Amino acid sequence: MSRRLLLLLSVTCAMAVGNIYFPQAVTPLLVTGLQVSPDAAAVAVTATQVGYTAGIVLLVPLGDRIPHRKYLVTLLVLTGLGLLAAGGAPALPPLVVAGALVGLTTVAAQIVGPLAVGLVAADRQGAVIGTLLSGSTGGMLLARTFSGTLGEWLGWRAPYLVAAVLTLLLSLALAVTLPATSPTSTARQPYHALLREPLRLLRTEPELRRSCLYQATVFGGFSAVWTCLALLLTGPAYGLGAQTVGLLALVGAATMFFTPIVGRMVDRRGPDPVNLICTLGVLLAAAFLAAGTWGGTPGLVALTLGTLLLDIAMQSGMVANQARVYALRPDARSRLNTAYMTCAYLGGSAGSWLGVRAWTRAGWPAVCALVALLAALALTRHLLRPRTSDTTVPSEQPTPTTTTMSTEPLPPPSPTST
């Protein structure tokens, strides 16, 4: 795979993930623009997030069945149309419906991963996963800044309309650039059976369950911290504004530079050593975060270091876990990814719920203790893993079921090619 194609796929990940997060910065503008309450305006953001979760469950498994180029272009076109509908919504209910459609179809990043891994040799898959994750991280971080600035300048509709144009242009670029691929023959089964496959894979693939546990626990701790951090910074210990949380979140941009390096480490050493380092990194991050109770400048420095280390550990663990998962069944990468991402998001949701309750009962120290406990659970599972388990990503041999590049010429972009 050329660098140009990898860059384009990274931009696709950034755009797809950004479409989930940019409405968050538009919410205050919806209050005045549509004359609704803040709680009602937040429903538009929630609808996009709920739609995205549904898209992971309902649409990502089809990546093992439908040719990737056709599927990606179709999803991006539908996302672009949903964004156009959202930008032209006359009231909140149509905006909520359009936002749900955007969330449902903006799962392109979950299709790009299996596609990209299938186009490179096994000893380059970690580096490719790390690069794509950098794109996703960049999209998540820049989307809020983009939409907030543009919305303040031109109104709440502008971010939706600009995102729609960019998404449709990206679909055209992918239609021209992406190689044609053949779907895997083993995925030719009824749709309802395809939806059950992630659950079956969870039952039959112990390495998938292990990867899901690692990411669910670490992402749970990550979510607990970021759910409660605003409460700490705006409370009596610091007395800062909510914008400080946004500035602290920008520290996580450093992970964009770390994940490609971690990906190359996974290619050389395998995912298990990286998982061990990441889990220990979360434990160390919990110690730094606990020092945030000091308040003042020392506490703020500790929080900055703790959140940075937590971000790097969580994203690096994602690279290692996805490399392990994708290597299990080359013919079922999208279904494996569905199971993995669903478990990760469930872990994140549980972490947010537990974090709020820990904060309510015992404050910030309890939240940090929760992070350490979840990391210890992952570390215990890692240390108790069977010693016969592979610590390196197995190399793949070409088989009839592996996604391969087609030799047919690429058709010109047209409505029928999507």
Side-chain angles (χ1 to χ4, degrees), residues 193-378:
L194 200 65
L195 294 182
R196 292 197 299 266
E197 276 290 285
L199 289 176
R200 188 188 67 80
L201 289 168
L202 276 171
R203 290 196 305 268
T204 58
E205 298 287 348
E207 291 296 275
L208 172 61
R209 294 196 300 271
R210 185 158 70 97
S211 297
C212 289
L213 176 65
Y214 290 165
Q215 196 62 29
T217 51
V218 172
F219 191 42
F222 176 89
S223 299
V225 166
W226 284 103
T227 299
C228 300
L229 189 60
L231 300 174
L232 174 67
L233 292 177
T234 58
Y238 289 93
L240 300 173
Q243 64 271 20
T244 307
V245 182
L247 293 175
L248 197 58
L250 289 178
V251 174
T255 59
M256 295 175 59
F257 305 100
F258 274 90
T259 49
I261 298 172
V262 172
R264 291 191 290 271
M265 185 184 303
V266 171
D267 289 333
R268 292 193 303 267
R269 304 291 300 277
D272 274 347
V274 174
N275 274 133
L276 177 60
I277 294 173
C278 292
T279 307
L280 294 174
V282 175
L283 287 171
L284 182 60
F288 276 112
L289 291 169
T293 54
W294 295 341
T297 301
L300 196 57
V301 170
L303 288 175
T304 302
L305 293 174
T307 53
L308 175 60
L309 186 55
L310 184 62
D311 284 3
I312 292 174
M314 193 274 291
Q315 298 283 26
S316 299
M318 175 75 81
V319 175
N321 290 321
Q322 283 193 314
R324 183 188 296 107
V325 167
Y326 288 153
L328 294 175
R329 287 272 305 276
D331 63 314
R333 286 191 175 116
S334 290
R335 285 164 285 172
L336 288 164
N337 196 37
T338 297
Y340 172 75
M341 293 303 298
T342 301
C343 290
Y345 273 92
L346 287 174
S349 300
S352 296
W353 185 84
L354 290 171
V356 170
R357 275 138 191 85
W359 170 270
T360 302
R361 289 180 177 273
W364 185 249
V367 176
C368 299
L370 173 64
V371 174
L373 178 63
L374 291 172
L377 177 62

Side-chain angles (χ1 to χ4, degrees), residues 56-317:
I56 290 177
V57 175
L58 300 176
L59 298 183
V60 172
L62 289 171
D64 289 328
R65 185 185 200 175
I66 304 174
H68 288 120
R69 181 178 63 191
K70 178 180 180 180
Y71 196 31
L72 272 175
V73 172
T74 301
L75 287 173
L76 288 171
V77 168
L78 291 174
T79 301
L81 295 176
L83 289 166
L84 285 175
L92 183 62
L95 176 61
V96 170
V97 174
L101 174 62
V102 170
L104 180 71
T105 57
T106 191
V107 292
Q110 307 306 328
I111 306 299
V112 165
L115 163 65
V117 167
L119 295 177
V120 297
D123 61 354
R124 288 190 57 210
Q125 291 178 358
V128 167
I129 294 171
T131 302
L132 295 178
L133 191 56
S134 290
S136 297
T137 303
M140 178 179 64
L141 293 174
L142 296 177
R144 298 185 184 98
T145 303
F146 151 78
S147 61
T149 303
L150 191 63
E152 289 285 352
W153 185 30
L154 296 176
W156 71 265
R157 298 181 189 274
Y160 284 100
L161 297 176
V162 172
V165 172
L166 293 176
T167 301
L168 292 173
L169 288 175
L170 183 60
S171 70
L172 179 63
L174 288 174
V176 174
T177 307
L178 272 184
T181 58
S182 302
T184 56
S185 59
T186 56
R188 297 187 182 280
Q189 52 185 296
Y191 176 62
H192 63 85
L194 200 65
L195 294 182
R196 292 197 299 266
E197 276 290 285
L199 289 176
R200 188 188 67 80
L201 289 168
L202 276 171
R203 290 196 305 268
T204 58
E205 298 287 348
E207 291 296 275
L208 172 61
R209 294 196 300 271
R210 185 158 70 97
S211 297
C212 289
L213 176 65
Y214 290 165
Q215 196 62 29
T217 51
V218 172
F219 191 42
F222 176 89
S223 299
V225 166
W226 284 103
T227 299
C228 300
L229 189 60
L231 300 174
L232 174 67
L233 292 177
T234 58
Y238 289 93
L240 300 173
Q243 64 271 20
T244 307
V245 182
L247 293 175
L248 197 58
L250 289 178
V251 174
T255 59
M256 295 175 59
F257 305 100
F258 274 90
T259 49
I261 298 172
V262 172
R264 291 191 290 271
M265 185 184 303
V266 171
D267 289 333
R268 292 193 303 267
R269 304 291 300 277
D272 274 347
V274 174
N275 274 133
L276 177 60
I277 294 173
C278 292
T279 307
L280 294 174
V282 175
L283 287 171
L284 182 60
F288 276 112
L289 291 169
T293 54
W294 295 341
T297 301
L300 196 57
V301 170
L303 288 175
T304 302
L305 293 174
T307 53
L308 175 60
L309 186 55
L310 184 62
D311 284 3
I312 292 174
M314 193 274 291
Q315 298 283 26
S316 299

